[in-house]
Amino acid sequence: MISFQGFFGAPQDVARQLFALPRSVVSGSYYALLLESDAGADVRVFVRADPADDHGEVRDWTGSKLGDLPERILRACWSTSANEREVAKVIDSFGPYAVRGGIMCPPSARGAFGHQLRRHDPQPVVRALVVS
């Protein structure tokens, strides 16, 4: 199953919503957080070979705007042939990503998304999308 959740508002309000997401959002083998504010945009993707793995790969992209990436992800989710691989392909093709392997996979949304959100704290509004 593909999950696509969006949040828009003050960073502290978005953080509260993100941190309240169920553990299942960050327990899969592939999930991503996309953020955009006046401070810029970033994408963080977590990948593990097996959902039971404690460690995996983290892919980071940072830039000024997400452009049409959110719309392309939503289109992939809504297509009649939607599957996890197609959605991941859309996200993965957005790069180039800085890739780090052997990273401990956080057991909660707060652990997975908290660090990335700090970059957007001083901004009045942040947009966040979670794909899992």
Side-chain angles (χ1 to χ4, degrees), residues 8 16 26 38 42 60 62 67 83-84 103 108 113 117 126:
F8 175 86
R16 201 171 9 264
V26 298
D38 289 343
D42 45 273
D60 286 306
T62 302
N83 65 52
E84 292 89 354
I103 304 296
S108 69
F113 305 145
L117 269 169
V126 65

Side-chain angles (χ1 to χ4, degrees), residues 2 20 27 37 40-42 55 59-60 73 90 95 109 112 115 117 126 129:
I2 302 167
S27 64
S37 71
D42 45 273
H55 291 77
R59 304 171 187 167
D60 286 306
I73 293 169
V90 170
H115 178 74
L117 269 169
V126 65
L129 299 172

